[in-house]
């Protein structure tokens, strides 16, 4: 089979399971051929050898069965860093970019106000994507720590920190900040926020990501109810809490912030214009 034809055939086969079939097919073909995605996209009419074709078909079949590309490749790019990712954690998503952007902005204004290095804690860290990206982008301007309820996730988060930063980040096993000691100037979190019934649908359709990372209870808000008041007690005066939210949760999560005494509340949007982050400041 010709390389180009393999790519369009693979993309067609993935159209019903993926929002990004061509991207997925090109990444999988690159892996099957042991080359880069750029090389695959520049491929001329040369034929795939039999082994390459068989490997590609195998990877396409795994994707069709519901396995995310990030799990198949064992890696996912986020904020320009190549994170190690597998079934122990949620795949880092572009959805989470606005959380990182919000946190960077908050960290820069805190350090301009004389709070350097900014003490940052990332709760529900999963693969460590948010914590490691912030540590990489802020360098000496921040001291970053992270926590997660899943020991398996924490192993991976530690690995990602070591691999991508060349140093360790303090990491603690914790149920929603329980036992975590502050004070922090900035707390970030992408807690599970999908409703349990929506999760049922995801898993009925072959979802592979850990339910622990997605299921936020009946209305998706269970973890915010615990996280927001608890964080308030861990923040220094003027400290900031920024959380990722589902696009219909802006009002409810803002109300929890207000109830816990946060001020300067803001709901921020993602690139698609959907509500994606709530931010507030401790008085
Ligand atoms: N944005 C994710 C999704 O919709 C949910 C992430 C989360 O629950 N924190 O799949």
């Amino acid at each position: 089979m010709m390389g180009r034809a393999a790519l369009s055939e693979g993309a067609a086969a993935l159209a019903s399971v993926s929002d990004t079939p061509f991207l997925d097919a090109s990444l999988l073909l690159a892996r099957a051929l042991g080359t880069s995605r750029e090389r695959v996209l520049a491929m001329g009419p040369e034929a795939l050898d039999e082994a390459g074709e068989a490997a590609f078909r195998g990877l396409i079949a795994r994707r069709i069965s519901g396995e995310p590309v990030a799990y198949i490749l064992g890696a996912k790019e986020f904020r320009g860093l190549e994170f190690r990712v597998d079934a122990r954690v949620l795949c880092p998503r572009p959805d989470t970019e606005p959380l990182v952007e919000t946190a960077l902005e908050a960290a820069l204004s805190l350090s301009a106000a004389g709070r350097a290095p900014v003490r940052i804690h990332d709760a529900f860290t999963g693969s460590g994507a948010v914590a490691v990206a912030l540590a990489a982008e802020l360098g000496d301007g921040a001291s970053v720590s992270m926590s997660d309820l899943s020991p398996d996730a924490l192993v991976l988060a530690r690995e990602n920190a070591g691999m991508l930063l060349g140093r360790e980040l303090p990491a603690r096993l914790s149920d929603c900040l329980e036992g975590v000691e502050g004070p922090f100037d900035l707390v970030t979190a992408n807690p599970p926020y999908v409703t349990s019934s929506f999760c049922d649908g995801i898993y009925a359709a072959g979802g592979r990501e850990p339910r622990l990372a997605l299921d936020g209870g009946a209305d998706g808000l269970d973890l915010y109810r615990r996280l927001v008041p608890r964080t308030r007690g861990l923040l220094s005066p003027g400290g900031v809490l920024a959380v990722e939210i589902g696009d219909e949760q802006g009002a409810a999560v803002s109300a929890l912030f207000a109830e816990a005494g946060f001020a300067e509340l803001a709901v921020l949007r993602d690139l698609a214009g959907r509500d994606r982050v709530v931010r507030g400041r401790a008085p």
Side-chain angles (χ1 to χ4, degrees):
M1 185 166 41
M2 298 298 168
R4 280 257 143 227
L7 200 51
S8 41
E9 226 178 81
L14 296 181
S16 63
V17 297
S18 172
D19 295 334
T20 53
F22 188 81
L23 173 65
D24 290 11
S26 61
L27 287 165
L28 296 176
L29 184 54
R31 170 57 59 94
L33 301 180
T35 183
S36 68
R37 179 161 177 266
E38 289 68 31
R39 293 284 291 269
V40 158
L41 294 179
M43 223 163 30
E46 64 267 29
L48 256 59
D49 63 20
E50 235 169 81
E53 189 176 326
F56 182 52
R57 285 191 194 288
L59 298 182
I60 291 285
R62 283 172 66 183
R63 182 70 192 91
I64 288 175
S65 84
E67 205 172 341
V69 173
Y71 289 177
I72 299 173
L73 302 179
K76 171 86 183 192
E77 193 266 1
F78 181 73
R79 304 280 312 174
L81 299 169
E82 185 89 346
F83 284 86
R84 205 166 283 168
V85 169
D86 59 35
R88 288 175 284 185
V89 295
L90 194 76
C91 306
R93 290 162 165 60
D95 291 1
T96 302
E97 297 267 347
L99 176 63
V100 175
E101 300 279 351
T102 302
L104 285 173
E105 207 175 284
L108 294 176
S109 85
L110 285 161
S111 60
R115 298 267 194 108
V118 181
R119 296 161 295 184
I120 303 177
H121 186 82
D122 182 46
F124 305 93
T125 201
S127 63
V130 171
V132 173
L134 289 174
E137 293 180 49
L138 292 166
D140 292 343
S143 65
V144 181
S145 59
M146 52 195 183
S147 60
D148 202 281
L149 172 59
S150 157
D152 288 345
L154 219 50
V155 169
L156 195 53
R158 284 197 168 101
E159 248 178 69
N160 276 318
M163 176 179 78
L164 296 168
L165 301 169
R167 63 190 166 89
E168 296 190 355
L169 293 184
R172 182 176 176 125
L173 197 62
S174 164
D175 180 6
C176 197
L177 291 180
E178 221 154 312
V180 170
E181 281 170 30
F184 303 111
D185 305 305
L186 173 60
V187 170
T188 54
N190 176 16
Y193 57 69
V194 178
T195 64
S196 298
S197 60
F198 198 87
C199 275
D200 291 342
I202 291 176
Y203 295 104
R208 301 293 179 90
E209 293 176 296
R211 187 153 191 150
L212 190 62
L214 281 177
D215 192 338
D219 62 0
L221 300 172
D222 282 3
L223 282 309
Y224 301 109
R225 290 195 183 92
R226 296 174 58 203
L227 172 76
V228 174
R230 196 184 297 273
T231 302
R232 177 74 173 73
L234 290 176
L235 283 173
S236 56
V240 171
L241 170 61
V243 299
E244 183 174 321
I245 57 162
D247 54 9
E248 289 169 358
Q249 296 171 332
V253 174
S254 297
L256 292 170
F257 272 59
E259 229 173 89
F262 282 93
E264 296 179 35
L265 303 187
V267 179
L268 304 150
R269 298 194 166 160
D270 63 19
L271 285 175
R274 292 170 305 215
D275 289 349
R276 189 58 63 200
V277 168
V278 173
R279 183 195 63 201
R281 191 182 290 280

